[in-house]
Amino acid sequence: MAQNLSLVLGLVLATALLVVVQASPVQIPDLTKCQVASASSPAGPLVTLYFNCCLPLTGPMIDFSFERYKSPQKHIRRPAHTASEEYIAKYIKAYELMRALPDTDPRSLKVQANIHCSFCNGGYLQRGVNGDIPLQVHFSWLFLPWHRWYLYFHERILASLIGDPGFSLLYWNWDDQVHGGNQIPEAFTRVNTSLYDEKRRPEVQPPTIVPLAASTPANLSASVVTNENLNNMYQSIVTASTATLFMGGALRAGDDLRKSTVINAPLGGAIENGVHTAIHFYVGDPRTQLLQDMGNFGTASRDPLFYSHHGNVDRLWEEWRFNMPDGERFDHTDPDFLNAEFVFYDENANMVRVKVKDALDNKKLGVYYKKGLSDNRWINYSPPATTNESAVAAAVASGVPFVGESPLNGTINIGTNFSAIVKRPSEKKPSKKLEVLNIQGVQVVRDEFVALVAYVNLPGAGRGTPTDSAEYLGTFNIVPTSGQSRQLFTNVKYEIGDNLKRIGIQNEEEVVISLVTTGSNATVTIEGLKIDYEDQ
C-alpha cells in the first residue's frame, strides 16, 4: 500500500514538474554567448557560408514602455509601388545613412541584418533551459510578433537618421493583383542606390508578376499566375481562421525543433509557411548558394526589400484580425505567448527588452497602414473546383494506400509526389469547429529550398498541377538554413472543410490527399495524415 502511495505521489510530482516546465515563455538569450553559424550547399560548387551574426553589447538593457517610446507622429505605412518620387528620394537617403554607419553601430544595416540572422539562424541558445537548444523565432507563434517589433525599431532608426519623426516604412503590396503591387517595387530596382541588392532572382524583376506559391512554373501566363496568387492568399489567410492555423502553434522555453515528436512538434502558421516564404524564395538569387540574399535566413535582411516585404506580412496580420468575412479574429492568449521576450536596438543604440503582449496593437505603437488597393479580390476569392465527385474509388483501383495518423505508418518517403486515402472523422462536425488536415511529422534536412504542396481529391497531382482551384490546400515552403537548425521536424495543418464543400464531397467518409515536393531533390518524409475537428 505504502509502495503504491509513493508511486502515486511520484507521478503527481512528476506531472506538476512537467506543467511548470511547460509553462515557460521564451527569454532573451545570454548575448555574451554567441556562436558562428555555417552552411554548405549541395548545389553547384561546394561552398561553405559562415554567418557571424553576434550582436554588439551596448550597455544596460532598457525595458520597453509605451510612455518611453511614445511616437510624436503617426507612422503611416503605404504601398511601395504608389510612393511619390519625393518620398522615394527620402527613403533612399534614409538607407544611405544607415548603410554609412560603422558596422559596429547597432543602427547600421550590417547589425540590423545580423539581428535577423542571429535569432532566425541559431546564433544564440535558449536561456534558462537544459541543453544547448538554439533560439529560433520562426515556425511558431513567435514569428509575427518578433518581426513586428523588428520593423518597429528599424523604422524608428531610419526616422531618426533623417530627422523625420513621421518617416514610415513602405510595404510591398505583393497581394495586390490589380494595380501592380505583385511586382517588385520599381524603387528597389534602381541600380547604385541604397535600396538595390544585386543578389536577387533575375527572372522576377519588373514587370514580371511574382508568384505566391513556390510551385508556380515560370512560364505561365499573367492571368494564370494572378489566379494562383489570389487562391494562395485565400488559403493562407481567409481559411486559416484560428490563431494556431494563421499565426502558428506554441513554442515555449525548452522546446527543441531538432528533437520534436508528432505530439510536440512546432507548427508554423499559414501566412509564414505559404505566401511569406514564397516571396523569400522568388526574390532570392539561384545563382548563389542557399538563395542569398532574400532566400536564406542568414542573409535575407541584408536586402532593404526585406523590410518592405515584412511590412506587408505585418499588415496582413491586421487584415486577418479585423477585416475577414467571418468577423473579428483573435490572437493567442496563452501567458507563455504574451510574456515571451525579445531584444532589439532603438534609435539611440540602446538595447531594449520587449514582450509579445505589447506588440499586439499596432495603434498603441503608433503604426498604421493605408489599406491595400485590392484586398477584396483575394478576401472574396471563390476558388473553382476542377473535380465534382470523390476520387477515392479511382485511387483504390490504382493502388493508392490508406494512411492513418502517426505512429501507425512508420516513416513515409513521399518522393516527388505521394497520394493517400485518409479517413475523415466519423462524427458530425460541431458548429464551432473547423475540419483540419494535419500532415504529421514532416522531416527534411534544410540544405536547399523545398516546397511541400498539398491537394485534396487529385490522386494524380504532380509538380505541374495548378494551385488556383478548390483542390489546392496550401504550400509549406522550407527556407534553407544552417548549423543546429538544419534538421526540421514539424507538423503542417490546413483547414480542409471549405475545400470539400466547394468540390461537393463534404459527406464522404474518406478523401484522397496528395503531397508534391518542388524546388529540390531533398528527401522529405512524413509520419502520418490525420483529419480532425479543431476549435475555431
PDB file of all heavy atoms in Angstrom, residues 251-282:
ATOM      1  N   LEU A 251       5.528  27.758 -28.960  1.00  0.00           N
ATOM      2  CA  LEU A 251       6.940  27.477 -28.761  1.00  0.00           C
ATOM      3  C   LEU A 251       7.297  28.037 -27.388  1.00  0.00           C
ATOM      4  O   LEU A 251       7.296  29.249 -27.183  1.00  0.00           O
ATOM      5  CB  LEU A 251       7.816  28.121 -29.834  1.00  0.00           C
ATOM      6  CG  LEU A 251       9.312  27.800 -29.654  1.00  0.00           C
ATOM      7  CD1 LEU A 251       9.599  26.361 -30.070  1.00  0.00           C
ATOM      8  CD2 LEU A 251      10.197  28.745 -30.453  1.00  0.00           C
ATOM      9  N   ARG A 252       7.581  27.147 -26.456  1.00  0.00           N
ATOM     10  CA  ARG A 252       7.907  27.536 -25.092  1.00  0.00           C
ATOM     11  C   ARG A 252       9.391  27.315 -24.826  1.00  0.00           C
ATOM     12  O   ARG A 252      10.063  26.598 -25.560  1.00  0.00           O
ATOM     13  CB  ARG A 252       7.059  26.730 -24.104  1.00  0.00           C
ATOM     14  CG  ARG A 252       5.569  26.763 -24.417  1.00  0.00           C
ATOM     15  CD  ARG A 252       4.757  25.908 -23.449  1.00  0.00           C
ATOM     16  NE  ARG A 252       3.433  25.621 -23.976  1.00  0.00           N
ATOM     17  CZ  ARG A 252       2.377  26.420 -23.894  1.00  0.00           C
ATOM     18  NH1 ARG A 252       2.508  27.581 -23.282  1.00  0.00           N
ATOM     19  NH2 ARG A 252       1.219  26.085 -24.416  1.00  0.00           N
ATOM     20  N   ALA A 253       9.892  27.928 -23.770  1.00  0.00           N
ATOM     21  CA  ALA A 253      11.286  27.739 -23.398  1.00  0.00           C
ATOM     22  C   ALA A 253      11.568  26.251 -23.216  1.00  0.00           C
ATOM     23  O   ALA A 253      10.813  25.543 -22.552  1.00  0.00           O
ATOM     24  CB  ALA A 253      11.597  28.504 -22.112  1.00  0.00           C
ATOM     25  N   GLY A 254      12.636  25.795 -23.831  1.00  0.00           N
ATOM     26  CA  GLY A 254      12.996  24.386 -23.737  1.00  0.00           C
ATOM     27  C   GLY A 254      12.542  23.560 -24.917  1.00  0.00           C
ATOM     28  O   GLY A 254      13.010  22.432 -25.095  1.00  0.00           O
ATOM     29  N   ASP A 255      11.646  24.077 -25.748  1.00  0.00           N
ATOM     30  CA  ASP A 255      11.219  23.342 -26.937  1.00  0.00           C
ATOM     31  C   ASP A 255      12.369  23.329 -27.949  1.00  0.00           C
ATOM     32  O   ASP A 255      12.944  24.362 -28.266  1.00  0.00           O
ATOM     33  CB  ASP A 255       9.987  23.993 -27.570  1.00  0.00           C
ATOM     34  CG  ASP A 255       8.728  23.771 -26.743  1.00  0.00           C
ATOM     35  OD1 ASP A 255       8.762  22.941 -25.815  1.00  0.00           O
ATOM     36  OD2 ASP A 255       7.706  24.422 -27.042  1.00  0.00           O
ATOM     37  N   ASP A 256      12.672  22.148 -28.461  1.00  0.00           N
ATOM     38  CA  ASP A 256      13.800  21.964 -29.364  1.00  0.00           C
ATOM     39  C   ASP A 256      13.288  21.463 -30.706  1.00  0.00           C
ATOM     40  O   ASP A 256      12.784  20.342 -30.808  1.00  0.00           O
ATOM     41  CB  ASP A 256      14.784  20.961 -28.759  1.00  0.00           C
ATOM     42  CG  ASP A 256      16.104  20.902 -29.518  1.00  0.00           C
ATOM     43  OD1 ASP A 256      16.155  21.373 -30.674  1.00  0.00           O
ATOM     44  OD2 ASP A 256      17.081  20.382 -28.949  1.00  0.00           O
ATOM     45  N   LEU A 257      13.393  22.279 -31.730  1.00  0.00           N
ATOM     46  CA  LEU A 257      12.895  21.917 -33.059  1.00  0.00           C
ATOM     47  C   LEU A 257      13.595  20.685 -33.616  1.00  0.00           C
ATOM     48  O   LEU A 257      13.063  20.002 -34.480  1.00  0.00           O
ATOM     49  CB  LEU A 257      13.075  23.080 -34.035  1.00  0.00           C
ATOM     50  CG  LEU A 257      11.981  24.161 -34.056  1.00  0.00           C
ATOM     51  CD1 LEU A 257      11.944  24.926 -32.751  1.00  0.00           C
ATOM     52  CD2 LEU A 257      12.182  25.121 -35.214  1.00  0.00           C
ATOM     53  N   ARG A 258      14.792  20.378 -33.130  1.00  0.00           N
ATOM     54  CA  ARG A 258      15.561  19.249 -33.660  1.00  0.00           C
ATOM     55  C   ARG A 258      15.154  17.922 -33.029  1.00  0.00           C
ATOM     56  O   ARG A 258      15.513  16.866 -33.537  1.00  0.00           O
ATOM     57  CB  ARG A 258      17.054  19.475 -33.411  1.00  0.00           C
ATOM     58  CG  ARG A 258      17.598  20.782 -33.972  1.00  0.00           C
ATOM     59  CD  ARG A 258      18.923  21.115 -33.323  1.00  0.00           C
ATOM     60  NE  ARG A 258      18.779  21.164 -31.861  1.00  0.00           N
ATOM     61  CZ  ARG A 258      19.806  21.170 -31.018  1.00  0.00           C
ATOM     62  NH1 ARG A 258      21.043  21.120 -31.468  1.00  0.00           N
ATOM     63  NH2 ARG A 258      19.597  21.220 -29.715  1.00  0.00           N
ATOM     64  N   LYS A 259      14.460  17.966 -31.889  1.00  0.00           N
ATOM     65  CA  LYS A 259      14.151  16.743 -31.152  1.00  0.00           C
ATOM     66  C   LYS A 259      12.660  16.632 -30.875  1.00  0.00           C
ATOM     67  O   LYS A 259      12.225  16.199 -29.824  1.00  0.00           O
ATOM     68  CB  LYS A 259      14.937  16.709 -29.842  1.00  0.00           C
ATOM     69  CG  LYS A 259      16.443  16.744 -30.037  1.00  0.00           C
ATOM     70  CD  LYS A 259      17.188  16.786 -28.713  1.00  0.00           C
ATOM     71  CE  LYS A 259      18.697  16.853 -28.923  1.00  0.00           C
ATOM     72  NZ  LYS A 259      19.436  16.931 -27.632  1.00  0.00           N
ATOM     73  N   SER A 260      11.857  17.050 -31.832  1.00  0.00           N
ATOM     74  CA  SER A 260      10.412  17.046 -31.655  1.00  0.00           C
ATOM     75  C   SER A 260       9.830  15.663 -31.932  1.00  0.00           C
ATOM     76  O   SER A 260      10.455  14.817 -32.574  1.00  0.00           O
ATOM     77  CB  SER A 260       9.765  18.061 -32.603  1.00  0.00           C
ATOM     78  OG  SER A 260      10.258  19.354 -32.370  1.00  0.00           O
ATOM     79  N   THR A 261       8.636  15.458 -31.440  1.00  0.00           N
ATOM     80  CA  THR A 261       7.829  14.306 -31.817  1.00  0.00           C
ATOM     81  C   THR A 261       6.559  14.830 -32.446  1.00  0.00           C
ATOM     82  O   THR A 261       6.289  16.035 -32.436  1.00  0.00           O
ATOM     83  CB  THR A 261       7.470  13.451 -30.588  1.00  0.00           C
ATOM     84  OG1 THR A 261       6.573  14.199 -29.741  1.00  0.00           O
ATOM     85  CG2 THR A 261       8.713  13.083 -29.789  1.00  0.00           C
ATOM     86  N   VAL A 262       5.750  13.941 -33.004  1.00  0.00           N
ATOM     87  CA  VAL A 262       4.492  14.360 -33.611  1.00  0.00           C
ATOM     88  C   VAL A 262       3.612  15.073 -32.587  1.00  0.00           C
ATOM     89  O   VAL A 262       2.871  15.998 -32.919  1.00  0.00           O
ATOM     90  CB  VAL A 262       3.770  13.145 -34.218  1.00  0.00           C
ATOM     91  CG1 VAL A 262       2.323  13.478 -34.543  1.00  0.00           C
ATOM     92  CG2 VAL A 262       4.483  12.698 -35.485  1.00  0.00           C
ATOM     93  N   ILE A 263       3.715  14.676 -31.324  1.00  0.00           N
ATOM     94  CA  ILE A 263       2.870  15.272 -30.284  1.00  0.00           C
ATOM     95  C   ILE A 263       3.267  16.710 -29.994  1.00  0.00           C
ATOM     96  O   ILE A 263       2.414  17.583 -29.816  1.00  0.00           O
ATOM     97  CB  ILE A 263       2.944  14.430 -28.988  1.00  0.00           C
ATOM     98  CG1 ILE A 263       2.459  13.003 -29.259  1.00  0.00           C
ATOM     99  CG2 ILE A 263       2.128  15.087 -27.872  1.00  0.00           C
ATOM    100  CD1 ILE A 263       1.024  12.924 -29.745  1.00  0.00           C
ATOM    101  N   ASN A 264       4.583  16.988 -29.937  1.00  0.00           N
ATOM    102  CA  ASN A 264       5.007  18.333 -29.525  1.00  0.00           C
ATOM    103  C   ASN A 264       5.741  19.112 -30.606  1.00  0.00           C
ATOM    104  O   ASN A 264       6.390  20.104 -30.327  1.00  0.00           O
ATOM    105  CB  ASN A 264       5.891  18.245 -28.273  1.00  0.00           C
ATOM    106  CG  ASN A 264       7.216  17.534 -28.535  1.00  0.00           C
ATOM    107  OD1 ASN A 264       7.562  17.258 -29.670  1.00  0.00           O
ATOM    108  ND2 ASN A 264       7.942  17.223 -27.471  1.00  0.00           N
ATOM    109  N   ALA A 265       5.651  18.659 -31.853  1.00  0.00           N
ATOM    110  CA  ALA A 265       6.352  19.361 -32.936  1.00  0.00           C
ATOM    111  C   ALA A 265       5.830  20.785 -33.078  1.00  0.00           C
ATOM    112  O   ALA A 265       4.639  21.040 -32.905  1.00  0.00           O
ATOM    113  CB  ALA A 265       6.176  18.607 -34.251  1.00  0.00           C
ATOM    114  N   PRO A 266       6.711  21.728 -33.378  1.00  0.00           N
ATOM    115  CA  PRO A 266       6.268  23.109 -33.601  1.00  0.00           C
ATOM    116  C   PRO A 266       5.382  23.196 -34.836  1.00  0.00           C
ATOM    117  O   PRO A 266       5.411  22.317 -35.691  1.00  0.00           O
ATOM    118  CB  PRO A 266       7.572  23.873 -33.795  1.00  0.00           C
ATOM    119  CG  PRO A 266       8.515  22.852 -34.331  1.00  0.00           C
ATOM    120  CD  PRO A 266       8.139  21.562 -33.647  1.00  0.00           C
ATOM    121  N   LEU A 267       4.627  24.257 -34.900  1.00  0.00           N
ATOM    122  CA  LEU A 267       3.703  24.426 -36.017  1.00  0.00           C
ATOM    123  C   LEU A 267       3.784  25.857 -36.527  1.00  0.00           C
ATOM    124  O   LEU A 267       3.431  26.794 -35.812  1.00  0.00           O
ATOM    125  CB  LEU A 267       2.267  24.118 -35.562  1.00  0.00           C
ATOM    126  CG  LEU A 267       1.183  24.278 -36.619  1.00  0.00           C
ATOM    127  CD1 LEU A 267       1.297  23.169 -37.661  1.00  0.00           C
ATOM    128  CD2 LEU A 267      -0.193  24.255 -35.981  1.00  0.00           C
ATOM    129  N   GLY A 268       4.285  26.013 -37.743  1.00  0.00           N
ATOM    130  CA  GLY A 268       4.291  27.336 -38.349  1.00  0.00           C
ATOM    131  C   GLY A 268       2.900  27.695 -38.833  1.00  0.00           C
ATOM    132  O   GLY A 268       2.079  26.829 -39.144  1.00  0.00           O
ATOM    133  N   GLY A 269       2.613  28.994 -38.899  1.00  0.00           N
ATOM    134  CA  GLY A 269       1.306  29.441 -39.360  1.00  0.00           C
ATOM    135  C   GLY A 269       1.226  29.507 -40.867  1.00  0.00           C
ATOM    136  O   GLY A 269       2.233  29.519 -41.574  1.00  0.00           O
ATOM    137  N   ALA A 270      -0.002  29.579 -41.379  1.00  0.00           N
ATOM    138  CA  ALA A 270      -0.225  29.541 -42.822  1.00  0.00           C
ATOM    139  C   ALA A 270       0.414  30.720 -43.536  1.00  0.00           C
ATOM    140  O   ALA A 270       0.929  30.575 -44.651  1.00  0.00           O
ATOM    141  CB  ALA A 270      -1.723  29.497 -43.110  1.00  0.00           C
ATOM    142  N   ILE A 271       0.405  31.887 -42.910  1.00  0.00           N
ATOM    143  CA  ILE A 271       0.976  33.041 -43.610  1.00  0.00           C
ATOM    144  C   ILE A 271       2.489  32.911 -43.695  1.00  0.00           C
ATOM    145  O   ILE A 271       3.109  33.254 -44.709  1.00  0.00           O
ATOM    146  CB  ILE A 271       0.574  34.374 -42.943  1.00  0.00           C
ATOM    147  CG1 ILE A 271       1.029  35.532 -43.838  1.00  0.00           C
ATOM    148  CG2 ILE A 271       1.113  34.494 -41.527  1.00  0.00           C
ATOM    149  CD1 ILE A 271       0.473  36.876 -43.436  1.00  0.00           C
ATOM    150  N   GLU A 272       3.121  32.387 -42.653  1.00  0.00           N
ATOM    151  CA  GLU A 272       4.575  32.193 -42.693  1.00  0.00           C
ATOM    152  C   GLU A 272       4.949  31.094 -43.681  1.00  0.00           C
ATOM    153  O   GLU A 272       5.804  31.277 -44.551  1.00  0.00           O
ATOM    154  CB  GLU A 272       5.111  31.837 -41.311  1.00  0.00           C
ATOM    155  CG  GLU A 272       6.608  31.558 -41.331  1.00  0.00           C
ATOM    156  CD  GLU A 272       7.153  30.979 -40.043  1.00  0.00           C
ATOM    157  OE1 GLU A 272       6.373  30.755 -39.101  1.00  0.00           O
ATOM    158  OE2 GLU A 272       8.375  30.726 -39.989  1.00  0.00           O
ATOM    159  N   ASN A 273       4.303  29.932 -43.532  1.00  0.00           N
ATOM    160  CA  ASN A 273       4.642  28.781 -44.365  1.00  0.00           C
ATOM    161  C   ASN A 273       4.374  29.027 -45.841  1.00  0.00           C
ATOM    162  O   ASN A 273       5.079  28.502 -46.701  1.00  0.00           O
ATOM    163  CB  ASN A 273       3.815  27.562 -43.941  1.00  0.00           C
ATOM    164  CG  ASN A 273       4.181  27.067 -42.558  1.00  0.00           C
ATOM    165  OD1 ASN A 273       5.201  27.446 -42.002  1.00  0.00           O
ATOM    166  ND2 ASN A 273       3.327  26.229 -41.991  1.00  0.00           N
ATOM    167  N   GLY A 274       3.325  29.807 -46.133  1.00  0.00           N
ATOM    168  CA  GLY A 274       2.865  29.965 -47.502  1.00  0.00           C
ATOM    169  C   GLY A 274       3.414  31.194 -48.207  1.00  0.00           C
ATOM    170  O   GLY A 274       4.561  31.218 -48.654  1.00  0.00           O
ATOM    171  N   VAL A 275       2.585  32.229 -48.304  1.00  0.00           N
ATOM    172  CA  VAL A 275       2.922  33.368 -49.159  1.00  0.00           C
ATOM    173  C   VAL A 275       4.168  34.117 -48.697  1.00  0.00           C
ATOM    174  O   VAL A 275       4.950  34.607 -49.513  1.00  0.00           O
ATOM    175  CB  VAL A 275       1.721  34.329 -49.271  1.00  0.00           C
ATOM    176  CG1 VAL A 275       0.584  33.683 -50.055  1.00  0.00           C
ATOM    177  CG2 VAL A 275       1.212  34.765 -47.884  1.00  0.00           C
ATOM    178  N   HIS A 276       4.370  34.221 -47.398  1.00  0.00           N
ATOM    179  CA  HIS A 276       5.570  34.909 -46.887  1.00  0.00           C
ATOM    180  C   HIS A 276       6.842  34.263 -47.409  1.00  0.00           C
ATOM    181  O   HIS A 276       7.730  34.929 -47.944  1.00  0.00           O
ATOM    182  CB  HIS A 276       5.562  34.905 -45.354  1.00  0.00           C
ATOM    183  CG  HIS A 276       6.934  34.931 -44.746  1.00  0.00           C
ATOM    184  ND1 HIS A 276       7.593  33.784 -44.345  1.00  0.00           N
ATOM    185  CD2 HIS A 276       7.791  35.958 -44.510  1.00  0.00           C
ATOM    186  CE1 HIS A 276       8.785  34.104 -43.874  1.00  0.00           C
ATOM    187  NE2 HIS A 276       8.935  35.410 -43.966  1.00  0.00           N
ATOM    188  N   THR A 277       6.938  32.942 -47.262  1.00  0.00           N
ATOM    189  CA  THR A 277       8.170  32.268 -47.633  1.00  0.00           C
ATOM    190  C   THR A 277       8.308  32.138 -49.145  1.00  0.00           C
ATOM    191  O   THR A 277       9.427  32.101 -49.677  1.00  0.00           O
ATOM    192  CB  THR A 277       8.257  30.897 -46.945  1.00  0.00           C
ATOM    193  OG1 THR A 277       8.087  31.082 -45.537  1.00  0.00           O
ATOM    194  CG2 THR A 277       9.601  30.249 -47.184  1.00  0.00           C
ATOM    195  N   ALA A 278       7.186  32.098 -49.863  1.00  0.00           N
ATOM    196  CA  ALA A 278       7.264  32.081 -51.330  1.00  0.00           C
ATOM    197  C   ALA A 278       7.962  33.337 -51.844  1.00  0.00           C
ATOM    198  O   ALA A 278       8.763  33.274 -52.791  1.00  0.00           O
ATOM    199  CB  ALA A 278       5.864  31.959 -51.929  1.00  0.00           C
ATOM    200  N   ILE A 279       7.685  34.474 -51.247  1.00  0.00           N
ATOM    201  CA  ILE A 279       8.349  35.715 -51.654  1.00  0.00           C
ATOM    202  C   ILE A 279       9.854  35.605 -51.423  1.00  0.00           C
ATOM    203  O   ILE A 279      10.673  35.988 -52.270  1.00  0.00           O
ATOM    204  CB  ILE A 279       7.770  36.917 -50.884  1.00  0.00           C
ATOM    205  CG1 ILE A 279       6.339  37.223 -51.354  1.00  0.00           C
ATOM    206  CG2 ILE A 279       8.663  38.146 -51.044  1.00  0.00           C
ATOM    207  CD1 ILE A 279       6.249  37.767 -52.756  1.00  0.00           C
ATOM    208  N   HIS A 280      10.246  35.074 -50.263  1.00  0.00           N
ATOM    209  CA  HIS A 280      11.671  34.894 -49.996  1.00  0.00           C
ATOM    210  C   HIS A 280      12.316  34.018 -51.076  1.00  0.00           C
ATOM    211  O   HIS A 280      13.413  34.307 -51.555  1.00  0.00           O
ATOM    212  CB  HIS A 280      11.873  34.256 -48.621  1.00  0.00           C
ATOM    213  CG  HIS A 280      11.812  35.234 -47.492  1.00  0.00           C
ATOM    214  ND1 HIS A 280      12.869  36.046 -47.161  1.00  0.00           N
ATOM    215  CD2 HIS A 280      10.818  35.532 -46.618  1.00  0.00           C
ATOM    216  CE1 HIS A 280      12.528  36.811 -46.132  1.00  0.00           C
ATOM    217  NE2 HIS A 280      11.285  36.511 -45.785  1.00  0.00           N
ATOM    218  N   PHE A 281      11.628  32.951 -51.455  1.00  0.00           N
ATOM    219  CA  PHE A 281      12.163  32.030 -52.462  1.00  0.00           C
ATOM    220  C   PHE A 281      12.329  32.721 -53.810  1.00  0.00           C
ATOM    221  O   PHE A 281      13.380  32.619 -54.454  1.00  0.00           O
ATOM    222  CB  PHE A 281      11.236  30.828 -52.603  1.00  0.00           C
ATOM    223  CG  PHE A 281      11.530  29.968 -53.807  1.00  0.00           C
ATOM    224  CD1 PHE A 281      12.660  29.171 -53.850  1.00  0.00           C
ATOM    225  CD2 PHE A 281      10.679  29.961 -54.907  1.00  0.00           C
ATOM    226  CE1 PHE A 281      12.945  28.376 -54.965  1.00  0.00           C
ATOM    227  CE2 PHE A 281      10.946  29.171 -56.020  1.00  0.00           C
ATOM    228  CZ  PHE A 281      12.085  28.378 -56.044  1.00  0.00           C
ATOM    229  N   TYR A 282      11.311  33.430 -54.254  1.00  0.00           N
ATOM    230  CA  TYR A 282      11.352  34.005 -55.597  1.00  0.00           C
ATOM    231  C   TYR A 282      12.281  35.205 -55.712  1.00  0.00           C
ATOM    232  O   TYR A 282      12.769  35.509 -56.802  1.00  0.00           O
ATOM    233  CB  TYR A 282       9.945  34.359 -56.067  1.00  0.00           C
ATOM    234  CG  TYR A 282       9.239  33.188 -56.682  1.00  0.00           C
ATOM    235  CD1 TYR A 282       8.157  32.595 -56.057  1.00  0.00           C
ATOM    236  CD2 TYR A 282       9.673  32.632 -57.879  1.00  0.00           C
ATOM    237  CE1 TYR A 282       7.516  31.486 -56.612  1.00  0.00           C
ATOM    238  CE2 TYR A 282       9.053  31.534 -58.442  1.00  0.00           C
ATOM    239  CZ  TYR A 282       7.973  30.970 -57.806  1.00  0.00           C
ATOM    240  OH  TYR A 282       7.362  29.878 -58.357  1.00  0.00           O
TER     241      TYR A 282
END
